[in-house]
Short mmCIF file of all heavy atoms in Angstrom, two decimals:
data_model
loop_
_atom_site.label_atom_id
_atom_site.label_comp_id
_atom_site.label_asym_id
_atom_site.label_seq_id
_atom_site.Cartn_x
_atom_site.Cartn_y
_atom_site.Cartn_z
N ASN Y 1 0.90 -1.19 -0.04
CA ASN Y 1 -0.03 -0.14 -0.02
C ASN Y 1 0.82 1.19 -0.01
O ASN Y 1 0.34 2.32 0.33
CB ASN Y 1 -1.03 0.03 1.19
CG ASN Y 1 -2.04 -1.04 1.00
OD1 ASN Y 1 -2.49 -1.27 -0.21
ND2 ASN Y 1 -2.58 -1.62 2.10
N ASN Y 2 2.17 1.13 -0.36
CA ASN Y 2 2.98 2.24 -0.50
C ASN Y 2 3.25 3.00 0.85
O ASN Y 2 3.28 4.35 0.81
CB ASN Y 2 2.52 3.25 -1.57
CG ASN Y 2 2.56 2.43 -2.93
OD1 ASN Y 2 3.49 1.80 -3.25
ND2 ASN Y 2 1.53 2.72 -3.80
N VAL Y 3 3.29 2.31 1.94
CA VAL Y 3 3.48 2.99 3.24
C VAL Y 3 5.06 3.08 3.29
O VAL Y 3 5.76 2.07 3.31
CB VAL Y 3 2.96 2.15 4.37
CG1 VAL Y 3 3.35 2.82 5.64
CG2 VAL Y 3 1.53 1.96 4.20
N PRO Y 4 5.55 4.43 3.49
CA PRO Y 4 6.92 4.55 3.59
C PRO Y 4 7.43 3.76 4.69
O PRO Y 4 6.96 3.95 5.88
CB PRO Y 4 7.21 6.04 3.74
CG PRO Y 4 5.84 6.72 3.23
CD PRO Y 4 4.82 5.62 3.47
N GLY Y 5 8.58 3.06 4.62
CA GLY Y 5 9.24 2.32 5.67
C GLY Y 5 8.80 0.77 5.78
O GLY Y 5 9.36 0.03 6.54
N ILE Y 6 7.67 0.54 5.03
CA ILE Y 6 7.21 -0.86 4.90
C ILE Y 6 7.51 -1.37 3.64
O ILE Y 6 6.62 -1.10 2.66
CB ILE Y 6 5.78 -1.03 5.37
CG1 ILE Y 6 5.52 -0.65 6.87
CG2 ILE Y 6 5.31 -2.53 5.22
CD1 ILE Y 6 4.10 -0.66 7.37
N ASP Y 7 8.63 -1.84 3.31
CA ASP Y 7 9.06 -2.23 1.92
C ASP Y 7 8.21 -3.48 1.43
O ASP Y 7 7.80 -3.54 0.28
CB ASP Y 7 10.51 -2.42 1.73
CG ASP Y 7 11.29 -1.07 1.95
OD1 ASP Y 7 10.62 0.00 1.89
OD2 ASP Y 7 12.50 -1.04 2.28
N ALA Y 8 8.05 -4.46 2.25
CA ALA Y 8 7.51 -5.74 1.95
C ALA Y 8 7.99 -6.26 0.71
O ALA Y 8 7.24 -6.61 -0.20
CB ALA Y 8 5.94 -5.49 1.93
N ASP Y 9 9.25 -6.54 0.74
CA ASP Y 9 9.94 -6.97 -0.50
C ASP Y 9 9.44 -8.36 -0.90
O ASP Y 9 9.53 -8.60 -2.14
CB ASP Y 9 11.49 -7.04 -0.34
CG ASP Y 9 12.25 -5.67 -0.22
OD1 ASP Y 9 11.60 -4.75 -0.63
OD2 ASP Y 9 13.27 -5.62 0.43
N CYS Y 10 9.10 -9.17 -0.10
CA CYS Y 10 8.65 -10.56 -0.58
C CYS Y 10 7.24 -10.63 -0.93
O CYS Y 10 6.68 -11.69 -1.29
CB CYS Y 10 8.90 -11.57 0.52
SG CYS Y 10 7.87 -11.57 1.87
N GLY Y 11 6.51 -9.47 -0.86
CA GLY Y 11 5.04 -9.49 -1.22
C GLY Y 11 4.20 -10.11 -0.23
O GLY Y 11 3.00 -10.60 -0.60
N GLY Y 12 4.65 -10.18 0.96
CA GLY Y 12 3.69 -10.94 1.95
C GLY Y 12 3.90 -12.33 2.15
O GLY Y 12 3.01 -12.94 2.82
N ALA Y 13 4.96 -12.85 1.79
CA ALA Y 13 5.22 -14.38 1.91
C ALA Y 13 5.90 -14.71 3.18
O ALA Y 13 6.28 -15.90 3.34
CB ALA Y 13 6.02 -14.76 0.67
N CYS Y 14 6.12 -13.84 4.13
CA CYS Y 14 6.74 -14.11 5.37
C CYS Y 14 8.18 -14.59 5.05
O CYS Y 14 8.69 -15.52 5.73
CB CYS Y 14 6.00 -15.13 6.21
SG CYS Y 14 6.48 -15.08 7.96
N ALA Y 15 8.92 -13.86 4.17
CA ALA Y 15 10.20 -14.32 3.77
C ALA Y 15 11.21 -13.26 3.73
O ALA Y 15 12.28 -13.35 3.04
CB ALA Y 15 10.11 -15.04 2.41
N CYS Y 16 10.91 -11.96 4.26
CA CYS Y 16 11.97 -10.99 4.15
C CYS Y 16 12.09 -10.09 5.43
O CYS Y 16 13.08 -9.48 5.69
CB CYS Y 16 11.64 -10.10 2.92
SG CYS Y 16 10.17 -9.01 3.26
N ALA Y 17 11.11 -9.95 6.20
CA ALA Y 17 11.10 -9.11 7.38
C ALA Y 17 11.18 -7.59 7.19
O ALA Y 17 11.42 -6.85 8.06
CB ALA Y 17 12.22 -9.50 8.38
N THR Y 18 11.05 -7.19 5.97
CA THR Y 18 11.08 -5.74 5.65
C THR Y 18 9.74 -5.04 5.88
O THR Y 18 9.55 -3.91 5.53
CB THR Y 18 11.52 -5.46 4.21
OG1 THR Y 18 10.51 -6.04 3.21
CG2 THR Y 18 12.87 -5.95 3.92
N CYS Y 19 8.73 -5.78 6.44
CA CYS Y 19 7.51 -5.17 6.83
C CYS Y 19 7.36 -5.11 8.36
O CYS Y 19 6.30 -5.03 8.89
CB CYS Y 19 6.35 -6.03 6.18
SG CYS Y 19 6.33 -7.77 6.87
N HIS Y 20 8.46 -5.12 9.05
CA HIS Y 20 8.59 -5.18 10.55
C HIS Y 20 7.93 -3.97 11.10
O HIS Y 20 8.14 -2.83 10.61
CB HIS Y 20 9.94 -5.29 10.94
CG HIS Y 20 10.26 -5.34 12.47
ND1 HIS Y 20 11.42 -4.96 13.08
CD2 HIS Y 20 9.38 -5.68 13.56
CE1 HIS Y 20 11.34 -5.14 14.35
NE2 HIS Y 20 10.15 -5.41 14.62
N VAL Y 21 6.95 -4.15 12.01
CA VAL Y 21 6.29 -2.95 12.72
C VAL Y 21 6.15 -3.29 14.30
O VAL Y 21 6.30 -4.44 14.62
CB VAL Y 21 4.86 -2.63 12.14
CG1 VAL Y 21 4.93 -2.23 10.67
CG2 VAL Y 21 3.92 -3.96 12.43
N TYR Y 22 6.05 -2.35 14.98
CA TYR Y 22 5.63 -2.49 16.45
C TYR Y 22 4.16 -2.14 16.58
O TYR Y 22 3.69 -0.97 16.20
CB TYR Y 22 6.38 -1.51 17.32
CG TYR Y 22 7.90 -1.58 17.23
CD1 TYR Y 22 8.68 -0.51 16.81
CD2 TYR Y 22 8.51 -2.85 17.45
CE1 TYR Y 22 10.04 -0.66 16.80
CE2 TYR Y 22 10.01 -2.90 17.36
CZ TYR Y 22 10.68 -1.90 16.92
OH TYR Y 22 12.04 -1.94 16.98
N VAL Y 23 3.37 -3.09 17.12
CA VAL Y 23 1.98 -2.92 17.31
C VAL Y 23 1.70 -2.18 18.54
O VAL Y 23 2.32 -2.56 19.62
CB VAL Y 23 1.24 -4.25 17.37
CG1 VAL Y 23 -0.19 -4.11 17.61
CG2 VAL Y 23 1.42 -5.02 16.04
N ASP Y 24 0.95 -1.12 18.51
CA ASP Y 24 0.59 -0.32 19.73
C ASP Y 24 0.04 -1.23 20.74
O ASP Y 24 -0.82 -2.14 20.46
CB ASP Y 24 -0.45 0.79 19.24
CG ASP Y 24 -0.67 1.69 20.44
OD1 ASP Y 24 0.03 2.75 20.65
OD2 ASP Y 24 -1.74 1.46 21.20
N ALA Y 25 0.33 -1.00 22.02
CA ALA Y 25 -0.09 -1.94 23.16
C ALA Y 25 -1.54 -2.06 23.13
O ALA Y 25 -2.08 -3.17 23.43
CB ALA Y 25 0.43 -1.38 24.49
N ALA Y 26 -2.30 -1.04 22.82
CA ALA Y 26 -3.81 -1.09 22.85
C ALA Y 26 -4.43 -2.02 21.83
O ALA Y 26 -5.56 -2.41 21.98
CB ALA Y 26 -4.39 0.33 22.71
N TRP Y 27 -3.48 -2.42 20.88
CA TRP Y 27 -4.09 -3.28 19.73
C TRP Y 27 -3.53 -4.63 19.77
O TRP Y 27 -3.95 -5.51 18.92
CB TRP Y 27 -3.72 -2.60 18.43
CG TRP Y 27 -4.50 -1.36 18.18
CD1 TRP Y 27 -4.22 -0.08 18.60
CD2 TRP Y 27 -5.74 -1.37 17.56
NE1 TRP Y 27 -5.19 0.73 18.19
CE2 TRP Y 27 -6.16 0.11 17.59
CE3 TRP Y 27 -6.54 -2.19 16.88
CZ2 TRP Y 27 -7.38 0.53 16.97
CZ3 TRP Y 27 -7.91 -1.81 16.47
CH2 TRP Y 27 -8.25 -0.52 16.38
N LEU Y 28 -2.65 -4.98 20.68
CA LEU Y 28 -1.93 -6.27 20.70
C LEU Y 28 -2.89 -7.37 20.76
O LEU Y 28 -2.76 -8.45 20.19
CB LEU Y 28 -0.96 -6.31 21.80
CG LEU Y 28 0.43 -5.79 21.57
CD1 LEU Y 28 1.20 -5.80 22.84
CD2 LEU Y 28 1.09 -6.45 20.42
N GLY Y 29 -3.98 -7.22 21.50
CA GLY Y 29 -4.98 -8.28 21.75
C GLY Y 29 -5.83 -8.57 20.50
O GLY Y 29 -6.45 -9.62 20.39
N LYS Y 30 -5.82 -7.70 19.50
CA LYS Y 30 -6.68 -7.81 18.46
C LYS Y 30 -5.94 -8.27 17.09
O LYS Y 30 -6.54 -8.53 16.06
CB LYS Y 30 -7.35 -6.54 18.04
CG LYS Y 30 -8.36 -6.06 19.17
CD LYS Y 30 -8.96 -4.85 18.81
CE LYS Y 30 -10.01 -4.44 19.88
NZ LYS Y 30 -10.70 -3.08 19.61
N THR Y 31 -4.63 -8.34 17.16
CA THR Y 31 -3.85 -8.67 15.99
C THR Y 31 -3.46 -10.17 15.78
O THR Y 31 -2.85 -10.48 14.82
CB THR Y 31 -2.54 -7.73 15.95
OG1 THR Y 31 -1.91 -7.97 17.25
CG2 THR Y 31 -2.83 -6.39 15.62
N GLY Y 32 -3.93 -10.94 16.75
CA GLY Y 32 -3.58 -12.30 16.62
C GLY Y 32 -2.27 -12.64 17.14
O GLY Y 32 -1.45 -11.93 17.60
N GLU Y 33 -2.01 -14.00 17.05
CA GLU Y 33 -0.77 -14.61 17.59
C GLU Y 33 0.31 -14.71 16.27
O GLU Y 33 -0.18 -15.02 15.22
CB GLU Y 33 -0.84 -15.94 18.15
CG GLU Y 33 -1.85 -15.83 19.34
CD GLU Y 33 -1.14 -15.08 20.51
OE1 GLU Y 33 0.05 -15.23 20.72
OE2 GLU Y 33 -1.90 -14.35 21.17
N LYS Y 34 1.60 -14.59 16.76
CA LYS Y 34 2.58 -14.84 15.62
C LYS Y 34 2.62 -16.34 15.37
O LYS Y 34 2.57 -17.18 16.30
CB LYS Y 34 3.96 -14.37 16.17
CG LYS Y 34 4.09 -12.90 16.27
CD LYS Y 34 5.45 -12.58 16.90
CE LYS Y 34 5.22 -11.67 18.03
NZ LYS Y 34 6.35 -11.27 18.92
N THR Y 35 2.82 -16.83 14.09
CA THR Y 35 3.10 -18.17 13.88
C THR Y 35 4.64 -18.38 14.05
O THR Y 35 5.43 -17.50 14.24
CB THR Y 35 2.81 -18.42 12.33
OG1 THR Y 35 3.65 -17.64 11.54
CG2 THR Y 35 1.34 -18.13 12.03
N ALA Y 36 4.92 -19.74 14.09
CA ALA Y 36 6.34 -20.13 14.27
C ALA Y 36 7.17 -19.56 13.18
O ALA Y 36 8.34 -19.17 13.26
CB ALA Y 36 6.44 -21.57 14.45
N MET Y 37 6.60 -19.60 11.98
CA MET Y 37 7.37 -19.13 10.77
C MET Y 37 7.67 -17.56 10.85
O MET Y 37 8.72 -17.07 10.58
CB MET Y 37 6.53 -19.36 9.44
CG MET Y 37 7.19 -18.95 8.14
SD MET Y 37 6.25 -19.61 6.78
CE MET Y 37 7.12 -18.92 5.52
N GLU Y 38 6.63 -16.79 11.37
CA GLU Y 38 6.84 -15.30 11.60
C GLU Y 38 7.92 -15.16 12.64
O GLU Y 38 8.80 -14.31 12.45
CB GLU Y 38 5.53 -14.79 12.03
CG GLU Y 38 5.68 -13.24 12.15
CD GLU Y 38 4.27 -12.55 12.50
OE1 GLU Y 38 3.33 -13.29 12.56
OE2 GLU Y 38 4.29 -11.44 12.95
N GLU Y 39 7.83 -15.93 13.71
CA GLU Y 39 8.81 -15.82 14.78
C GLU Y 39 10.20 -16.03 14.28
O GLU Y 39 11.21 -15.34 14.54
CB GLU Y 39 8.57 -16.82 16.00
CG GLU Y 39 7.35 -16.60 16.70
CD GLU Y 39 7.58 -15.61 17.89
OE1 GLU Y 39 8.70 -15.04 18.00
OE2 GLU Y 39 6.77 -15.55 18.84
N SER Y 40 10.38 -17.08 13.43
CA SER Y 40 11.71 -17.28 12.80
C SER Y 40 12.23 -16.16 11.92
O SER Y 40 13.36 -15.80 11.91
CB SER Y 40 11.56 -18.68 11.99
OG SER Y 40 11.33 -19.69 12.78
N MET Y 41 11.24 -15.62 11.10
CA MET Y 41 11.71 -14.57 10.23
C MET Y 41 11.98 -13.24 10.97
O MET Y 41 12.89 -12.54 10.64
CB MET Y 41 10.51 -14.27 9.21
CG MET Y 41 10.92 -13.44 8.08
SD MET Y 41 12.52 -13.87 7.21
CE MET Y 41 12.09 -15.45 6.75
N LEU Y 42 11.29 -13.09 12.08
CA LEU Y 42 11.69 -11.96 12.96
C LEU Y 42 13.05 -11.99 13.58
O LEU Y 42 13.67 -10.90 13.86
CB LEU Y 42 10.57 -11.74 14.12
CG LEU Y 42 9.36 -11.07 13.75
CD1 LEU Y 42 8.39 -11.29 14.88
CD2 LEU Y 42 9.57 -9.50 13.59
N ASP Y 43 13.70 -13.11 13.55
CA ASP Y 43 15.08 -13.29 14.00
C ASP Y 43 15.94 -12.50 13.07
O ASP Y 43 17.12 -12.22 13.39
CB ASP Y 43 15.44 -14.76 14.05
CG ASP Y 43 14.87 -15.60 15.19
OD1 ASP Y 43 14.35 -14.90 16.12
OD2 ASP Y 43 14.88 -16.79 15.07
N PHE Y 44 15.51 -12.23 11.85
CA PHE Y 44 16.38 -11.47 10.94
C PHE Y 44 16.11 -10.02 10.97
O PHE Y 44 16.78 -9.21 10.18
CB PHE Y 44 16.12 -12.11 9.52
CG PHE Y 44 16.57 -13.47 9.29
CD1 PHE Y 44 15.67 -14.60 9.42
CD2 PHE Y 44 17.95 -13.86 9.09
CE1 PHE Y 44 16.10 -15.94 9.25
CE2 PHE Y 44 18.25 -15.18 8.90
CZ PHE Y 44 17.38 -16.16 8.98
N ALA Y 45 15.25 -9.62 11.76
CA ALA Y 45 14.86 -8.14 11.71
C ALA Y 45 15.72 -7.41 12.85
O ALA Y 45 16.19 -8.09 13.82
CB ALA Y 45 13.28 -7.91 12.05
N GLU Y 46 15.91 -6.13 12.68
CA GLU Y 46 16.58 -5.32 13.71
C GLU Y 46 15.59 -4.81 14.72
O GLU Y 46 14.47 -4.44 14.40
CB GLU Y 46 17.24 -4.28 13.03
CG GLU Y 46 18.43 -4.60 12.10
CD GLU Y 46 19.14 -3.32 11.54
OE1 GLU Y 46 19.27 -2.30 12.27
OE2 GLU Y 46 19.43 -3.45 10.38
N GLY Y 47 16.04 -4.71 15.91
CA GLY Y 47 15.34 -4.00 16.94
C GLY Y 47 13.97 -4.77 17.29
O GLY Y 47 13.00 -4.04 17.67
N VAL Y 48 14.02 -5.98 17.46
CA VAL Y 48 12.79 -6.73 17.67
C VAL Y 48 12.36 -6.53 19.17
O VAL Y 48 13.34 -6.61 19.97
CB VAL Y 48 12.95 -8.25 17.46
CG1 VAL Y 48 11.79 -9.09 17.87
CG2 VAL Y 48 13.18 -8.48 15.82
N GLU Y 49 11.11 -6.33 19.33
CA GLU Y 49 10.49 -6.13 20.71
C GLU Y 49 9.37 -7.10 20.82
O GLU Y 49 8.96 -7.61 19.85
CB GLU Y 49 10.05 -4.66 20.92
CG GLU Y 49 11.11 -3.54 20.57
CD GLU Y 49 12.11 -3.49 21.80
OE1 GLU Y 49 11.76 -3.97 22.87
OE2 GLU Y 49 13.17 -2.89 21.55
N PRO Y 50 8.86 -7.27 22.12
CA PRO Y 50 7.77 -8.15 22.33
C PRO Y 50 6.65 -7.79 21.46
O PRO Y 50 5.84 -8.70 21.10
CB PRO Y 50 7.41 -7.87 23.83
CG PRO Y 50 8.79 -7.51 24.43
CD PRO Y 50 9.47 -6.70 23.41
N ASN Y 51 6.49 -6.61 21.06
CA ASN Y 51 5.18 -6.17 20.23
C ASN Y 51 5.62 -6.08 18.79
O ASN Y 51 4.85 -5.59 17.94
CB ASN Y 51 4.65 -4.88 20.74
CG ASN Y 51 5.59 -3.64 20.64
OD1 ASN Y 51 6.87 -3.96 20.58
ND2 ASN Y 51 5.10 -2.47 20.52
N SER Y 52 6.66 -6.82 18.41
CA SER Y 52 7.03 -6.75 16.97
C SER Y 52 6.16 -7.74 16.21
O SER Y 52 5.89 -8.78 16.67
CB SER Y 52 8.54 -7.23 16.85
OG SER Y 52 9.43 -6.31 17.23
N ARG Y 53 5.82 -7.34 15.05
CA ARG Y 53 5.06 -8.14 14.11
C ARG Y 53 5.69 -7.94 12.72
O ARG Y 53 6.12 -6.84 12.38
CB ARG Y 53 3.56 -7.87 14.20
CG ARG Y 53 2.89 -8.34 15.37
CD ARG Y 53 2.88 -9.87 15.67
NE ARG Y 53 2.35 -10.64 14.62
CZ ARG Y 53 1.11 -10.97 14.39
NH1 ARG Y 53 0.25 -10.60 15.12
NH2 ARG Y 53 0.69 -11.72 13.33
N LEU Y 54 5.48 -8.99 11.90
CA LEU Y 54 5.65 -8.77 10.35
C LEU Y 54 4.28 -8.35 9.93
O LEU Y 54 3.29 -9.11 9.99
CB LEU Y 54 6.10 -10.02 9.80
CG LEU Y 54 7.49 -10.52 10.21
CD1 LEU Y 54 7.89 -11.78 9.49
CD2 LEU Y 54 8.55 -9.31 9.94
N SER Y 55 4.11 -7.08 9.45
CA SER Y 55 2.72 -6.67 9.19
C SER Y 55 1.99 -7.42 8.09
O SER Y 55 0.83 -7.41 8.14
CB SER Y 55 2.82 -5.24 8.76
OG SER Y 55 3.71 -4.90 7.69
N CYS Y 56 2.76 -8.12 7.27
CA CYS Y 56 2.07 -8.88 6.24
C CYS Y 56 1.38 -10.17 6.82
O CYS Y 56 0.59 -10.73 6.16
CB CYS Y 56 3.08 -9.36 5.20
SG CYS Y 56 4.17 -10.61 5.63
N GLN Y 57 1.70 -10.45 8.05
CA GLN Y 57 1.17 -11.69 8.61
C GLN Y 57 -0.05 -11.32 9.57
O GLN Y 57 -0.61 -12.19 10.19
CB GLN Y 57 2.23 -12.35 9.40
CG GLN Y 57 3.31 -12.88 8.59
CD GLN Y 57 2.94 -13.79 7.43
OE1 GLN Y 57 2.34 -14.87 7.68
NE2 GLN Y 57 3.08 -13.34 6.19
N ILE Y 58 -0.34 -9.99 9.68
CA ILE Y 58 -1.52 -9.57 10.49
C ILE Y 58 -2.84 -9.66 9.58
O ILE Y 58 -2.83 -9.04 8.60
CB ILE Y 58 -1.47 -8.06 11.11
CG1 ILE Y 58 -0.22 -8.17 12.02
CG2 ILE Y 58 -2.58 -7.69 11.66
CD1 ILE Y 58 0.20 -6.67 12.43
N LYS Y 59 -3.71 -10.54 9.92
CA LYS Y 59 -4.86 -10.64 9.08
C LYS Y 59 -5.91 -9.52 9.31
O LYS Y 59 -6.35 -9.21 10.52
CB LYS Y 59 -5.59 -11.92 9.43
CG LYS Y 59 -6.77 -12.22 8.52
CD LYS Y 59 -7.30 -13.69 8.69
CE LYS Y 59 -8.35 -13.82 7.60
NZ LYS Y 59 -8.78 -15.22 7.74
N VAL Y 60 -5.98 -8.80 8.32
CA VAL Y 60 -6.77 -7.47 8.39
C VAL Y 60 -8.32 -7.79 8.47
O VAL Y 60 -8.85 -8.65 7.70
CB VAL Y 60 -6.53 -6.61 7.15
CG1 VAL Y 60 -7.41 -5.32 7.22
CG2 VAL Y 60 -5.05 -6.14 7.20
N SER Y 61 -9.00 -7.11 9.28
CA SER Y 61 -10.52 -7.25 9.36
C SER Y 61 -10.99 -5.85 9.86
O SER Y 61 -10.28 -5.03 10.28
CB SER Y 61 -10.92 -8.32 10.39
OG SER Y 61 -10.56 -7.87 11.72
N ASP Y 62 -12.31 -5.80 9.79
CA ASP Y 62 -12.95 -4.50 10.37
C ASP Y 62 -12.55 -4.25 11.74
O ASP Y 62 -12.53 -3.13 12.19
CB ASP Y 62 -14.42 -4.67 10.26
CG ASP Y 62 -14.96 -4.56 8.80
OD1 ASP Y 62 -14.07 -4.08 7.88
OD2 ASP Y 62 -16.09 -4.91 8.53
N ALA Y 63 -12.26 -5.29 12.52
CA ALA Y 63 -11.91 -5.18 13.93
C ALA Y 63 -10.57 -4.37 14.14
O ALA Y 63 -10.26 -3.83 15.16
CB ALA Y 63 -11.78 -6.44 14.63
N LEU Y 64 -9.86 -4.41 13.02
CA LEU Y 64 -8.59 -3.55 13.06
C LEU Y 64 -8.61 -2.23 12.52
O LEU Y 64 -7.59 -1.53 12.27
CB LEU Y 64 -7.39 -4.37 12.37
CG LEU Y 64 -7.10 -5.76 13.02
CD1 LEU Y 64 -5.97 -6.33 12.23
CD2 LEU Y 64 -6.73 -5.57 14.39
N ASP Y 65 -9.78 -1.74 12.27
CA ASP Y 65 -10.04 -0.27 11.72
C ASP Y 65 -9.41 0.53 12.77
O ASP Y 65 -9.86 0.66 13.91
CB ASP Y 65 -11.49 -0.12 11.55
CG ASP Y 65 -11.72 1.35 10.76
OD1 ASP Y 65 -10.71 1.83 10.15
OD2 ASP Y 65 -12.74 1.72 10.88
N GLY Y 66 -8.43 1.27 12.41
CA GLY Y 66 -7.72 2.33 13.33
C GLY Y 66 -6.47 1.71 13.90
O GLY Y 66 -5.83 2.43 14.85
N LEU Y 67 -6.06 0.59 13.52
CA LEU Y 67 -4.79 -0.07 14.05
C LEU Y 67 -3.70 0.95 14.02
O LEU Y 67 -3.41 1.61 13.02
CB LEU Y 67 -4.52 -1.29 13.18
CG LEU Y 67 -3.21 -2.04 13.65
CD1 LEU Y 67 -3.18 -2.64 15.06
CD2 LEU Y 67 -2.87 -3.01 12.58
N VAL Y 68 -2.89 1.01 15.14
CA VAL Y 68 -1.80 1.75 15.35
C VAL Y 68 -0.47 0.95 15.34
O VAL Y 68 -0.42 0.08 16.16
CB VAL Y 68 -1.85 2.71 16.57
CG1 VAL Y 68 -0.59 3.55 16.72
CG2 VAL Y 68 -3.09 3.63 16.47
N VAL Y 69 0.34 1.12 14.35
CA VAL Y 69 1.60 0.56 14.43
C VAL Y 69 2.74 1.54 14.23
O VAL Y 69 2.55 2.64 13.72
CB VAL Y 69 1.87 -0.56 13.25
CG1 VAL Y 69 0.66 -1.70 13.44
CG2 VAL Y 69 1.72 0.03 11.93
N ARG Y 70 4.00 1.25 14.70
CA ARG Y 70 5.08 2.18 14.63
C ARG Y 70 6.30 1.41 13.94
O ARG Y 70 6.27 0.29 13.99
CB ARG Y 70 5.58 2.65 15.99
CG ARG Y 70 4.39 3.62 16.60
CD ARG Y 70 4.81 4.11 17.93
NE ARG Y 70 3.70 5.11 18.34
CZ ARG Y 70 2.52 4.71 18.86
NH1 ARG Y 70 2.33 3.46 19.17
NH2 ARG Y 70 1.63 5.51 19.21
N LEU Y 71 7.10 2.14 13.20
CA LEU Y 71 8.16 1.54 12.54
C LEU Y 71 9.47 1.57 13.44
O LEU Y 71 9.63 2.51 14.16
CB LEU Y 71 8.53 2.29 11.31
CG LEU Y 71 7.36 2.42 10.25
CD1 LEU Y 71 7.74 3.29 9.05
CD2 LEU Y 71 7.19 0.94 9.69
N PRO Y 72 10.18 0.48 13.29
CA PRO Y 72 11.57 0.47 13.88
C PRO Y 72 12.42 1.67 13.34
O PRO Y 72 12.17 2.04 12.10
CB PRO Y 72 12.14 -0.83 13.49
CG PRO Y 72 11.02 -1.69 13.19
CD PRO Y 72 9.98 -0.69 12.59
N GLU Y 73 13.27 2.16 14.13
CA GLU Y 73 14.09 3.21 13.73
C GLU Y 73 14.86 2.99 12.48
O GLU Y 73 15.01 3.81 11.53
CB GLU Y 73 15.20 3.59 14.87
CG GLU Y 73 15.85 5.01 14.76
CD GLU Y 73 14.78 6.01 14.94
OE1 GLU Y 73 13.93 6.01 15.75
OE2 GLU Y 73 14.92 7.03 14.11
N SER Y 74 15.25 1.74 12.27
CA SER Y 74 16.07 1.37 11.03
C SER Y 74 15.26 1.47 9.77
O SER Y 74 15.75 1.40 8.62
CB SER Y 74 16.53 -0.12 11.22
OG SER Y 74 15.46 -1.02 11.32
N GLN Y 75 13.89 1.61 9.80
CA GLN Y 75 13.06 1.64 8.62
C GLN Y 75 12.56 3.01 8.33
O GLN Y 75 11.70 3.22 7.43
CB GLN Y 75 11.88 0.67 8.81
CG GLN Y 75 12.24 -0.83 8.79
CD GLN Y 75 11.15 -1.80 9.11
OE1 GLN Y 75 11.46 -2.63 9.93
NE2 GLN Y 75 9.97 -1.54 8.66
N HIS Y 76 13.09 4.04 9.08
CA HIS Y 76 12.62 5.37 8.93
C HIS Y 76 13.27 5.95 7.69
O HIS Y 76 14.32 5.69 7.33
CB HIS Y 76 12.86 6.31 10.14
CG HIS Y 76 11.81 6.05 11.26
ND1 HIS Y 76 11.44 7.05 12.04
CD2 HIS Y 76 11.28 4.90 11.63
CE1 HIS Y 76 10.51 6.59 13.00
NE2 HIS Y 76 10.46 5.21 12.74
S1 FES I 1 6.49 -8.75 3.42
FE1 FES I 1 8.18 -9.97 3.43
S2 FES I 1 7.99 -10.79 5.54
FE2 FES I 1 6.21 -9.46 5.36
#
């Protein structure tokens, strides 16, 4: 969606970690759980925190309208 800082080089295949985001604490309960594959790919991302997600792996629904995420410093 041409969001600056979210390159998403692999096109959402959970194979690049260039879509790394930090999910705002208020939204963590609504974004679902990380899969083992996502956890493995996050090992290649910089500045991983407990609220880190690969944004391509968050299943979008109406319940996520207004979702707040922040970018790691390395992606600014
Ligand atoms: S777009 Fe490549 S892991 Fe998300």
